[in-house]
Amino acid sequence: MKIISILIFLSSFSLANEADFNASYYGILTLLPPFLAIVLAFVTKDVIFSLFVGALSGTFMLAFSESSSIIASIIPAFISYIDRVLNSMTNNSNAGIIMQVLTIGGLIALITKNGGTKAVALWFAKKAKDAKNSQFATWCMGLFIFFDDYANSLIIGPVMRPISDKFRISREKLAFIIDSTAAPVTGLAIISTWIGLEISLIHTGYDLVDPAVFASLHIARDDINAFEIFVQTIPYRFYNLFILIFVLLTIYMGKEFGPMLKAEKRARAGEIAKEHLVESGGLEDEILEPDENTKLKASNAILPLLTLIIFAILSFYYSGYNAIKDEGLKAMIDESPLSFFALRTCFAEANSSTALFQSAVIASILAIILGIYRKTFTLRTAISTWLRGWKTMISTVAILLCAWSLSSVIKDLGTSKYLIEILTDTTPLFLLPTVIFLFASLISFSTGTSYGTMGILMPLAIPLAMGIGVHNGLSGDELHHYMVINIATVLTGAVFGDHCSPISDTTILASMGSKCSLLAHVNTQMPYALSICAVSILCGYLPITLGLNVYLCLGLGVVAMIILLALVGKKVES
């Protein structure tokens, strides 16, 4: 998850030593907490309980490593779990996410009550004549909200869900489209809330390379441009690119396979799975329905949502600018405040959770003013509606708190360190990118954090790739090309694992935004994600390291996905 990531990467020496000790002490058992959480989630169908058990098992292991007594470890384990939940809530960034989730829930309730959501749905229903067009509109909205994956998940779901229901598109397919245009898009964007960490990790990774290696290559460490390398990795982010194209192919070929096919057939028959309604509760509450005499206007939804997006961008800029400590850098931004350099730098330093919370409050105020001005509700009704919207997001907050607690346990247990130790043996030159990609995927899936995975792996992958490249005689452009590929595998592998993980915050938010059961979302999305993972390896990372041109690899991957859908997929009747 985003918020835990920086703590994982910038952990203190004492915590690092604790993680090293636990990784050595428990070995493969460090995988137990995430394994328990994931397995129980599928068995019990209760995500909160599963995350609780997973995290509690981890705190018990931490307590046992200190006392070596089962009985004496029980109470400290419970206390430790409670402390982790409280720490998750008191962390500024986490608190910002909780408030942004609750406030956006309130905003959606307001635009539902004033008829804005229904008006937008009716407008789309007139313009989008079928399921294909409405899915494409959802995909386009995902590309439009490129700057933050949380904003993507929280905005698109509530707006597009009524249209999807109208055209009998399954909640699972809606959640898949939202999730596939959230982190994959934000991870590629050169102006986003991700890019600051991504660039800093690349820079840090090169700082860890042995100076003798740079000397032998006649390269000055200061000549390394982390942002330039980031941009060069974009064509090599095979999973990010392929999953975006795959969504389009499923839309226009009209074919699905696996659990998604069953979900789409059920939706076309006019059925909404009971677990969607039971698990998510919902904004479909009759109390939030607009009054019969309410004049439906799309602007009641469009204006607040545009305000949310515009003020989010402004808040990102303002937050990032104020976070910059280097006065010289600020002076450069002041000279050209709207330049690409200024935008990229400010977005990189922004506090995304706080920025989204601020913009959601402003958008909520506008929605209240619109409703009162147009006499769709009174001030008292507006406030009660806004707070009722908060209530619909309580389950999301509970899941996030449990997931954050589990992530902190995994960090202290040294789960990722154990995985690194067993998988960083000598690897053939052409296999290293694939190994790093799979390794990043495994860590991201197990921990539910793409940011954390990048923070863990990048400082290891860059020196490793540099060492293996030099050992195999690479230098100059060949070595640089090889480094770009390996850096790309860390960035995209982190997204793939996070995309599949049932304990990932983006997965949780995509399911909540679309009012789809989390387990149903994971169950239907995983076969697609795994298929695109295979395409990324077989048509991307293996051929590219064997000398094939990157654009030929991209073309080969598209052809492979078309063949996959043609052979395995089946038509879903309109």
Side-chain angles (χ1 to χ4, degrees):
M1 297 170 189
K2 286 183 170 184
I3 311 310
I4 302 301
S5 60
I6 299 175
L7 295 177
I8 292 175
F9 178 59
L10 298 175
S11 57
S12 66
F13 288 113
S14 61
L15 288 179
N17 291 335
E18 180 187 3
D20 289 337
F21 170 78
N22 287 320
S24 175
Y25 184 76
Y26 282 113
I28 196 171
L29 290 179
T30 60
L31 298 173
L32 183 61
F35 178 78
L36 269 179
I38 292 166
V39 171
L40 283 176
F42 285 102
V43 173
T44 66
K45 311 297 183 185
D46 192 316
V47 178
I48 294 177
F49 171 76
S50 303
L51 291 171
F52 169 75
V53 172
L56 193 62
S57 69
T59 56
F60 177 82
M61 292 169 68
L62 290 170
F64 182 80
S65 68
E66 295 179 0
S67 67
S68 298
S69 169
I70 294 177
I71 302 299
S73 300
I74 295 175
I75 294 178
F78 179 75
I79 294 174
S80 175
Y81 176 79
I82 298 301
D83 287 342
R84 290 170 191 276
V85 173
L86 292 175
N87 289 336
S88 295
M89 295 177 68
T90 56
N91 176 276
N92 285 340
S93 296
N94 286 2
I97 288 182
I98 291 172
M99 293 307 299
Q100 111 192 14
V101 167
L102 293 173
T103 309
I104 290 179
L107 172 64
I108 299 304
L110 286 171
I111 66 176
T112 301
K113 185 66 175 177
N114 68 18
T117 304
K118 183 173 286 187
V120 169
L122 291 173
W123 185 85
F124 267 108
K126 292 177 182 178
K127 299 296 181 181
K129 301 300 181 182
D130 52 30
K132 182 181 294 186
N133 289 341
S134 61
Q135 290 180 73
F136 179 67
T138 305
W139 185 84
C140 288
M141 286 185 69
L143 297 187
F144 178 69
I145 307 176
F146 62 87
F147 52 85
D148 186 76
D149 52 334
Y150 287 165
N152 184 302
S153 299
L154 290 170
I155 293 171
I156 298 175
V159 172
M160 296 306 297
R161 188 176 64 253
I163 296 98
S164 297
D165 289 348
K166 171 75 174 178
F167 290 108
R168 298 186 177 184
I169 300 165
S170 68
R171 298 277 176 86
E172 291 88 341
K173 185 62 183 292
L174 176 63
F176 170 63
I177 297 174
I178 292 171
D179 210 353
S180 299
T181 55
V185 172
T186 307
L188 290 170
I190 55 177
I191 296 176
S192 74
T193 54
W194 284 38
I195 193 168
L197 182 67
E198 291 172 314
I199 291 175
S200 67
L201 289 174
I202 293 172
H203 189 275
T204 300
Y206 273 99
D207 282 345
L208 295 174
V209 174
D210 188 341
V213 174
F214 282 109
S216 67
L217 295 171
H218 306 290
I219 299 173
R221 192 193 302 270
D222 293 339
D223 291 340
I224 301 297
N225 187 320
F227 178 72
E228 182 181 354
I229 292 172
F230 171 85
V231 173
Q232 291 171 350
T233 65
I234 291 176
Y236 301 91
R237 311 274 200 90
F238 293 117
Y239 181 81
N240 298 52
L241 296 169
F242 286 155
I243 196 68
L244 289 171
I245 297 170
F246 181 76
V247 173
L248 274 184
L249 291 175
T250 61
I251 293 171
Y252 282 96
M253 292 178 70
K255 289 190 171 186
E256 312 286 351
F257 61 85
M260 189 69 80
L261 176 63
K262 296 178 182 178
E264 282 289 87
K265 285 184 174 180
R266 185 192 65 241
R268 294 297 193 275
E271 301 174 15
I272 296 179
K274 291 181 180 179
E275 59 264 27
H276 298 341
L277 302 176
V278 172
E279 182 169 313
S280 61
L283 295 174
E284 292 81 4
D285 192 319
E286 291 181 2
I287 296 176
L288 297 181
E289 281 294 309
D291 297 334
E292 291 183 3
N293 60 349
T294 298
K295 188 175 181 180
L296 301 180
K297 291 187 176 182
S299 58
N300 284 339
I302 293 173
L303 290 177
L305 289 176
L306 279 178
T307 300
L308 176 65
I309 294 171
I310 291 169
F311 274 89
I313 294 172
L314 292 175
S315 295
F316 285 140
Y317 188 98
Y318 181 76
S319 169
Y321 179 82
N322 285 334
I324 297 172
K325 304 300 182 184
D326 188 333
E327 293 300 326
L329 190 58
K330 273 191 174 182
M332 293 172 64
I333 293 173
D334 291 338
E335 289 179 5
S336 184
L338 296 180
S339 66
F340 174 75
F341 170 79
L343 292 172
R344 173 175 60 82
T345 304
C346 290
F347 268 65
E349 298 293 330
N351 184 326
S352 61
S353 57
T354 302
L356 284 170
F357 173 46
Q358 293 169 342
S359 57
V361 170
I362 294 171
S364 296
I365 293 172
L366 176 62
I368 291 172
I369 292 172
L370 277 175
I372 295 173
Y373 175 75
R374 292 175 173 174
K375 298 180 179 179
T376 55
F377 46 58
T378 63
L379 177 61
R380 185 173 182 177
T381 302
I383 298 299
S384 63
T385 298
W386 190 61
L387 293 176
R388 190 166 188 85
W390 281 41
K391 292 180 181 178
T392 65
M393 306 303 289
I394 291 299
S395 60
T396 303
V397 172
I399 292 173
L400 286 173
L401 287 173
C402 290
W404 287 332
S405 301
L406 177 59
S407 292
S408 71
V409 168
I410 289 169
K411 179 190 70 174
D412 291 346
L413 272 176
T415 302
S416 57
K417 293 180 180 295
Y418 169 75
L419 290 173
I420 290 168
E421 287 175 4
I422 64 173
L423 295 175
T424 52
D425 293 334
T426 303
T427 306
L429 186 71
F430 79 97
L431 275 182
L432 182 62
T434 299
V435 170
I436 291 176
F437 174 76
L438 292 175
F439 194 22
S441 303
L442 180 60
I443 293 177
S444 186
F445 179 81
S446 301
T447 61
T449 163
S450 50
Y451 263 41
T453 301
M454 295 175 197
I456 292 164
L457 267 187
M458 195 68 79
L460 297 168
I462 290 179
L464 179 63
M466 180 74 83
I468 290 178
V470 172
H471 178 73
N472 283 270
L474 299 182
S475 62
D477 291 341
E478 284 186 340
L479 180 60
H480 178 72
H481 179 248
Y482 187 67
M483 294 301 297
V484 167
I485 294 172
N486 282 281
I487 292 168
T489 60
V490 175
L491 299 176
T492 196
V495 169
F496 163 64
D498 183 80
H499 201 206
C500 292
S501 179
I503 61 174
S504 161
D505 47 5
T506 49
T507 305
I508 293 166
L509 292 178
S511 66
M512 292 298 177
S514 58
K515 293 300 176 188
C516 171
S517 160
L518 174 60
L519 296 178
H521 171 43
V522 173
N523 187 45
T524 51
Q525 178 167 273
M526 192 171 291
Y528 283 1
L530 289 172
S531 299
I532 304 309
C533 170
V535 171
S536 300
I537 293 171
L538 298 176
C539 300
Y541 293 118
L542 287 177
I544 199 72
T545 51
L546 293 174
L548 193 64
N549 179 274
V550 63
Y551 297 104
L552 288 177
C553 289
L554 290 171
L556 185 61
V558 173
V559 171
M561 289 187 290
I562 293 172
I563 294 173
L564 173 67
L565 284 173
L567 295 179
V568 180
K570 293 183 180 179
K571 280 278 187 181
V572 180
E573 297 299 329
S574 299

